[in-house]
Amino acid sequence: AYGRPWTAHEWLSEVIIWLVYSLGGLSGIILWVAAMGFLTFFILYKNCPTGKPYAAGLSALFAMVTASIGWSAGPKLFTYLFAAIFVCVLENWRLGRSKHQIFILPFISLFWVNLHGGYILGPALIFIYIAGGFIEKRKGLVPLCAMGAASFLAAAVNPQGVSIWLYPFLQLTSPAQRLYITEWQSPDFHSLPAWVFMAMLGTCLFLVIKDKKPLKPTQTLLFLGSGVMGFLSIRQIVVFAILNM
């Protein structure tokens, strides 16, 4: 509203989307949305365990269909892409595939905070892996803690400065968001997309029971946290699909 401060938390996204539209019009935007979807889930697919390409492909397809409920043009697509990169890097760290990839996370955060207000998901994911590692009594948590702190501090490099740290929480707790913006509302469980979300949720639980191996604390925190967020907001169903593919 006129006279009130405006947080330009998506300025870099606006520049990129404007360039896409200037070069390709609405067709360019459609292609960009499709390309972001392909890139996001291709990264997740490539990070799946080797030796099971068909299972990985089916999992990626299921996650894409689940995510379609909230996949539309907008700066939020950058959050989905970076969430996929973060969870892949953190999984590689947890599984011992790579201990050095985590050093790129603060640099990603530097771009993420200028592209979309969902940047807070990055430090939140690092915190979950730290908490899970602590419960599992995992060694080598100090570098990850350092990258978590660096990622959070990197978010201060934006036109708003440190005030951006509060912005995501103000948005998440805003009554107006849930009242007037459909994708911030809880899913309508009379609709097919919501049932797809429930199907993915149930499939994850079925596979855990079938495997007869308890989830690691980190996996449990990711599943429960993103699952609860999915019940609270349509937008967060996409995050659930990405984190639990």
Side-chain angles (χ1 to χ4, degrees):
Y2 177 77
R4 296 191 177 187
W6 173 257
T7 302
H9 66 286
E10 300 172 342
W11 71 271
L12 188 54
S13 286
E14 293 170 3
V15 172
I16 293 171
I17 295 172
W18 174 79
L19 287 172
V20 171
Y21 181 76
S22 297
L23 293 171
L26 290 177
S27 297
I29 295 296
I30 292 171
L31 289 174
W32 172 72
V33 172
M36 290 291 285
F38 172 80
L39 183 59
T40 298
F41 289 97
F42 182 73
I43 289 171
L44 292 167
Y45 167 77
K46 291 296 290 183
N47 205 62
C48 286
T50 57
K52 296 182 178 180
Y54 295 110
L58 186 61
S59 177
L61 181 61
F62 197 176
M64 288 178 69
V65 173
T66 304
S68 66
I69 187 175
W71 200 275
S72 56
K76 62 184 179 181
L77 297 187
F78 289 107
T79 280
Y80 301 149
L81 173 62
F82 289 140
I85 295 173
F86 258 67
V87 78
C88 287
V89 168
L90 290 167
E91 271 297 289
N92 289 339
W93 173 86
R94 185 180 71 86
L95 297 173
R97 297 173 184 164
S98 173
K99 297 294 184 181
H100 304 294
Q101 290 180 359
I102 59 172
F103 294 107
I104 70 171
L105 298 182
F107 297 99
I108 296 175
S109 294
L110 187 63
F111 287 99
W112 195 346
V113 70
N114 289 287
L115 287 162
H116 188 246
Y119 77 90
I120 198 66
L121 181 58
L125 286 172
I126 297 175
F127 175 78
I128 287 173
Y129 275 81
I130 292 171
F134 181 77
I135 296 170
E136 297 167 19
K137 298 181 180 180
R138 186 180 297 275
K139 296 180 180 179
L141 287 176
V142 173
L144 187 60
C145 291
M147 291 305 99
S151 296
F152 185 71
L153 291 173
V157 184
N158 69 91
Q160 314 301 137
V162 296
S163 65
I164 199 71
W165 288 339
L166 290 176
Y167 182 79
F169 301 101
L170 294 175
Q171 293 297 300
L172 287 171
T173 57
S174 170
Q177 293 275 67
R178 297 191 180 281
L179 185 61
Y180 298 112
I181 303 177
T182 302
E183 66 179 3
W184 280 104
Q185 297 170 1
S186 298
D188 176 10
F189 289 101
H190 294 285
S191 66
L192 180 60
W195 278 103
V196 174
F197 164 56
M198 292 297 293
M200 183 172 181
L201 195 72
T203 302
C204 291
L205 290 172
F206 171 77
L207 291 175
V208 170
I209 295 170
K210 182 177 178 293
D211 196 38
K212 296 181 180 179
K213 293 180 182 178
L215 287 176
K216 295 291 185 181
T218 303
Q219 297 170 303
T220 302
L221 290 171
L222 283 174
F223 180 74
L224 292 178
S226 60
V228 169
M229 293 301 292
F231 278 105
L232 293 176
S233 169
I234 293 172
R235 174 179 285 209
Q236 305 306 329
I237 290 177
V238 183
V239 176
F240 171 82
I242 289 170
L243 300 186
N244 295 281
M245 193 192 104

